[in-house]
Amino acid sequence: MDAVTTPQPKRKRVALVIGAGSVKCAAALGMWKVLQREGIDIDMVVGCSGGSLYASVMALGYDPATCERLTAELWTPELTRRRNLRSMLAAVLPRVFGFDGSLSMVDDRALLRALDTPFGGRRFEEAAIPLHIVATDLNDGQKVVLSKGSVRDAVRASVAIPYVWKPWEIDGRQLLDGCVSDPLPVDVAIREGADVILAMGFESPYPSRIRSATRYAFQVNSIYTNNLLRANYAFHNLAHHAEIIPILPDFDRPVRLFDTHLIPYVIEEGERATEAQLPHLHRALEAAHA
């Protein structure tokens, strides 16, 4: 009589979801280090706003040390130093300067130069790990998931903070910051078939003082992002279709937009938060596949 063989369960599909959070998103590099050390393979990466930067460098195969260096080079005050005077004048005097339907207080040329270094010419199709980047359609407010084409354009759209940088056009759609529709897009990983989701989310920092129109825009952005984050996370905890493991670094000091000197600390906190969830993660991976 032939021996009866028991079919082996399929390996569970693991997704990383990295939410909005500017420099705090560097904590994803700490999470990545822990997963590499534990030998846990990643099947997809989802990024939103600042998290799209880290999702992209991971998917494209950069090593953690290179990612840390690129982060320090990217997040500099130079990004918001040059004002977009024409756009601001067009908003005040639309008939004179020709208002084009969007407002940006900051010229985006420095941002584009910074994104060209890691992402210029790179495409989703060449990613070693499937990559999904979330943005928001300016015209109807719908969440837009970008999974093909130019990675630089997708990241540029996903970080287009309202009023700060202008929306970015992709395939005829004007796209804004992904955090406007979902600062922690867990549902994208669910829809793509993930069984275990590591969801790294952050509350956006508030400026220490509102001393300019730009800081006012960052303040408003932080308010709605944080409220939306809490609401969406509560919903997915109540009605989810996958194992969602929160990775929520606990920072004991303020980490603001250009605090790149805190990047080593932020990465360490990402490692610590991930290590705290390792028992839960291993149990989820070892459980019988449904």
Side-chain angles (χ1 to χ4, degrees), residues 29-249:
L29 299 182
M31 174 172 60
W32 192 19
K33 289 180 180 181
V34 173
L35 297 177
Q36 288 185 328
R37 187 188 70 215
E38 295 290 316
I40 297 172
D41 293 326
I42 303 304
D43 298 285
M44 70 188 77
V45 191
V46 181
C48 168
S49 195
S52 70
L53 297 165
Y54 296 93
S56 298
V57 292
M58 290 179 186
L60 290 172
Y62 288 101
D63 62 88
T66 300
C67 294
E68 186 170 349
R69 175 180 59 80
L70 290 171
T71 298
E73 293 173 355
L74 173 63
W75 291 114
T76 68
E78 179 66 23
L79 291 183
T80 58
R81 187 165 289 154
R82 184 169 182 171
R83 295 291 182 259
N84 190 343
L85 295 178
R86 182 173 184 83
S87 179
M88 290 189 284
L89 288 171
V92 177
L93 301 169
R95 293 184 179 179
V96 177
F97 290 95
F99 185 65
D100 65 359
S102 67
L103 169 64
S104 63
M105 292 185 291
V106 176
D107 187 292
D108 69 348
R109 280 175 283 187
L111 174 62
L112 289 170
R113 286 194 299 270
L115 294 178
D116 270 336
T117 300
F119 306 127
R122 307 299 297 272
R123 298 181 65 80
F124 282 86
E125 291 79 4
E126 65 185 90
I129 305 170
L131 170 65
H132 309 280
I133 292 176
V134 171
T136 305
D137 192 312
L138 172 64
N139 294 312
D140 60 17
Q142 294 296 307
K143 181 179 350 186
V144 177
V145 182
L146 303 166
S147 305
K148 62 181 181 179
S150 166
V151 174
R152 187 204 72 157
D153 285 351
V155 173
R156 170 61 183 83
S158 191
V159 301
I161 300 171
Y163 310 116
V164 177
W165 287 300
K166 66 181 180 181
W168 196 248
E169 183 175 333
I170 297 179
D171 295 334
R173 306 176 81 174
Q174 294 292 320
L175 302 181
L176 286 171
D177 196 333
C179 74
V180 175
S181 52
D182 193 345
L184 187 61
V186 170
D187 65 316
V188 176
I190 294 173
R191 188 172 64 249
E192 292 297 324
D195 301 300
V196 177
I197 300 170
L198 297 172
M200 177 169 270
F202 315 89
E203 293 220 347
S204 295
Y206 298 106
S208 55
R209 294 175 61 190
I210 303 176
R211 296 178 295 183
S212 67
T214 305
R215 289 190 175 225
Y216 174 82
F218 281 122
Q219 175 78 3
V220 173
N221 177 77
S222 294
I223 290 171
Y224 69 67
T225 297
N226 291 340
N227 288 334
L228 187 57
L229 171 67
R230 297 181 196 117
N232 283 6
Y233 188 73
F235 169 77
H236 287 302
N237 267 346
L238 289 172
H240 64 265
H241 304 284
E243 184 73 41
I244 301 173
I245 301 175
I247 309 291
L248 307 174

